[in-house]
């Protein structure tokens, strides 16, 4: 799937990239080509496309972006999701035939006990090595960030005692172009069972940009020929992403697909909703059955979650970084 993103273009109906003869109207700066390697689980596959397209559209300003979707072929898919990927996404081999300014690589649902035992490990590590010299910058999100630092520097992630799940206040700890004009604090969604320790990152030469007192390291960077940007969280999540995950996990608990009831996302639901959900949890412990999901209460989010505010700034700054390199290349011709 190749899509042309303009700021004034409706995300709900993206236009395919026109032929070169049609690209005649003026734009500020050179076009940017961005690839999304979307490895998210099937239920989040299309939502992830929309979230990143919306972010890039909001961040692009007058600059045009060619947006290509890919997925690692070794990520296991349902027949429906596999059909979507095969019919709408570009083949991963097309990366070598194109010139990409930037990549965004998402995580995937863990299957194996260790990252280097995942069925997609070889494809992912080949992509990491390729991106070091074939992009100006690559973003690695959540599990992809953990996989990248393991492959690059042997940094092992650590299992958390409880899932890090919610919206966390993150502070800028290092001045950097990526966090320029960022709100204080940055409210970022995190949803993970593991973490990378800050001490391990610093010792290996990574630069930590943002961190949360509760969630730990959020964003960090490493410079190769390409600038690698890592997020332990999910800045792209929309307001309802964490709710969807929480309800999915409740459904899995009621169906006995998981043993423990999911914890409430931190700083996410309003106080009245949290009280209702606590009552529902007590009932579920005694009447554990999939049909009980029909009795879930109405859910209201806190008014101050600020979903997407941090991402808008981070991605605008990221595109500016990519654009500066693209403009310099055009001027040198």
């Amino acid at each position: 799937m190749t899509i042309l993103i303009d700021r004034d273009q409706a995300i709900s109906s993206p236009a395919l990239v026109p032929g070169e003869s049609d690209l005649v109207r003026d734009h500020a700066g050179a076009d940017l080509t961005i690839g999304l390697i979307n490895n998210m689980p099937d239920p989040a596959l299309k939502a992830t496309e929309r979230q990143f397209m919306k972010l890039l559209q909001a961040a692009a300003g007058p600059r045009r972006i060619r947006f290509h979707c890919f997925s690692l072929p070794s990520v296991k898919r349902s027949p429906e999701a596999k059909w979507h990927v095969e019919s709408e996404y570009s083949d991963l081999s097309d990366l070598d035939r194109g010139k990409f300014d930037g990549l965004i690589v998402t995580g995937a649902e863990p299957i194996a006990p260790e990252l280097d035992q995942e069925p997609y490990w070889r494809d992912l590590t080949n992509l990491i090595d390729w991106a070091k010299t074939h992009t100006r910058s690559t973003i690695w999100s959540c599990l992809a960030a953990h996989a990248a630092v393991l492959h690059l520097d042997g940094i092992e992630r650590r299992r958390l005692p409880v899932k890090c799940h919610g919206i966390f206040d993150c502070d800028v700890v290092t001045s950097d172009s990526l966090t320029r004009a960022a709100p204080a604090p940055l409210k970022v969604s995190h949803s993970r069972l593991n973490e990378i320790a800050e001490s391990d990152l610093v010792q290996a030469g990574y630069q930590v940009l943002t961190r949360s007192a509760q969630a730990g390291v959020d964003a960090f960077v490493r410079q190769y020929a390409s600038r690698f940007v890592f997020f332990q969280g999910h800045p792209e999540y929309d307001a309802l992403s964490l709710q969807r995950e929480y309800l999915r996990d409740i459904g899995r608990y009621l169906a006995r697909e998981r043993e423990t009831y999911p914890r409430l996302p931190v700083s996410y639901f309003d106080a009245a909703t949290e009280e209702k959900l606590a009552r529902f949890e007590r009932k579920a412990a005694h009447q554990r059955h999939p049909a009980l999901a029909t009795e879930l209460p109405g859910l209201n989010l806190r008014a101050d979650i600020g979903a997407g505010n941090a991402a808008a700034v981070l991605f605008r700054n990221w595109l500016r970084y990519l654009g500066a390199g693209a403009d310099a290349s055009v001027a040198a011709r």
Side-chain angles (χ1 to χ4, degrees):
M1 177 169 64
T2 304
I3 291 170
L4 186 70
I5 297 178
D6 280 315
R7 186 183 182 91
D8 57 351
Q9 180 185 321
I11 283 295
S12 58
S13 181
L16 295 179
V17 173
E20 291 299 320
S21 61
D22 297 325
L23 301 179
V24 294
R25 58 193 176 99
D26 291 334
H27 290 265
D31 294 348
L32 295 176
T33 302
I34 308 294
L36 170 66
I37 317 297
N38 186 3
N39 307 309
M40 291 292 278
D42 295 351
L45 184 68
K46 294 181 182 180
T48 300
E49 295 169 22
R50 292 192 297 269
Q51 288 163 4
F52 278 112
M53 285 175 63
K54 184 176 180 181
L55 267 177
L56 291 171
Q57 182 193 40
R63 191 184 297 271
R64 291 195 305 187
I65 296 176
R66 290 182 172 85
F67 183 67
H68 303 252
C69 285
F70 304 84
S71 186
L72 297 180
S74 45
V75 172
K76 293 186 177 180
R77 298 285 185 197
S78 67
E80 180 183 359
K82 186 177 180 181
W83 178 86
H84 176 72
V85 168
E86 290 178 348
S87 61
E88 298 293 334
Y89 282 26
S90 300
D91 190 272
L92 200 62
S93 62
D94 290 345
L95 282 175
D96 279 326
R97 292 193 286 270
K99 179 174 172 51
F100 286 82
D101 299 292
L103 285 185
I104 302 166
V105 185
T106 77
E109 188 165 20
I111 299 173
E114 301 294 337
L115 275 174
D116 58 6
Q117 298 171 11
E118 295 287 357
Y120 48 79
W121 179 251
R122 177 173 291 184
D123 284 341
L124 183 54
T125 55
N126 287 341
L127 178 66
I128 294 166
D129 293 336
W130 182 90
K132 286 172 68 174
T133 56
H134 289 81
T135 66
R136 293 192 182 96
S137 181
T138 295
I139 288 174
W140 306 92
S141 175
C142 202
L143 181 142
H146 293 174
V149 298
L150 174 61
H151 175 63
L152 292 166
D153 293 286
I155 299 175
E156 298 273 358
R157 62 184 188 169
R158 304 175 184 181
R159 186 76 171 187
L160 292 167
V162 295
K163 185 177 183 178
C164 179
H165 190 226
I167 294 183
F168 297 89
D169 289 349
C170 298
D171 297 314
V172 175
V173 295
T174 302
S175 178
D176 187 85
S177 62
L178 190 70
T179 55
R180 185 180 297 124
L186 293 91
K187 293 183 176 293
V188 181
S189 298
H190 282 250
S191 181
R192 50 189 167 83
L193 295 167
N194 302 275
E195 71 169 355
I196 299 295
E198 182 171 355
S199 57
D200 291 343
L201 291 171
V202 172
Q203 185 175 3
Y206 292 83
Q207 186 176 41
V208 174
L209 301 186
T210 64
R211 77 163 71 92
S212 161
Q214 289 180 278
V217 173
D218 175 47
F220 54 102
V221 295
R222 182 88 181 247
Q223 186 69 51
Y224 297 97
S226 173
R227 189 176 207 227
F228 276 12
V229 178
F230 307 85
F231 293 121
Q232 282 210 97
H234 288 278
E236 82 280 2
Y237 270 14
D238 59 36
L240 296 179
S241 293
L242 292 173
Q243 176 176 299
R244 289 191 291 267
E245 288 189 8
Y246 179 65
L247 294 178
R248 176 203 65 194
D249 288 344
I250 290 176
R252 289 177 174 175
Y253 172 82
L254 294 176
R256 301 185 184 275
E257 296 173 2
R258 58 176 287 161
E259 290 305 311
T260 58
Y261 195 89
R263 293 165 63 96
L264 281 168
V266 173
S267 301
Y268 187 62
F269 294 116
D270 67 18
T273 297
E274 288 191 347
E275 289 179 8
K276 294 176 185 176
L277 288 170
R279 290 195 295 271
F280 181 86
E281 179 180 354
R282 291 192 291 270
K283 186 173 183 179
H286 294 92
Q287 302 178 28
R288 191 174 177 183
H289 190 278
L292 191 63
T294 61
E295 299 183 28
L296 275 163
L299 305 179
N300 293 308
L301 308 184
R302 287 175 48 155
D304 63 343
I305 61 172
N309 292 343
V313 173
L314 295 173
F315 276 76
R316 186 179 305 119
N317 289 335
W318 184 62
L319 290 181
R320 285 173 178 166
Y321 176 86
L322 296 179
D327 294 343
S329 296
V330 171
R333 290 173 187 169

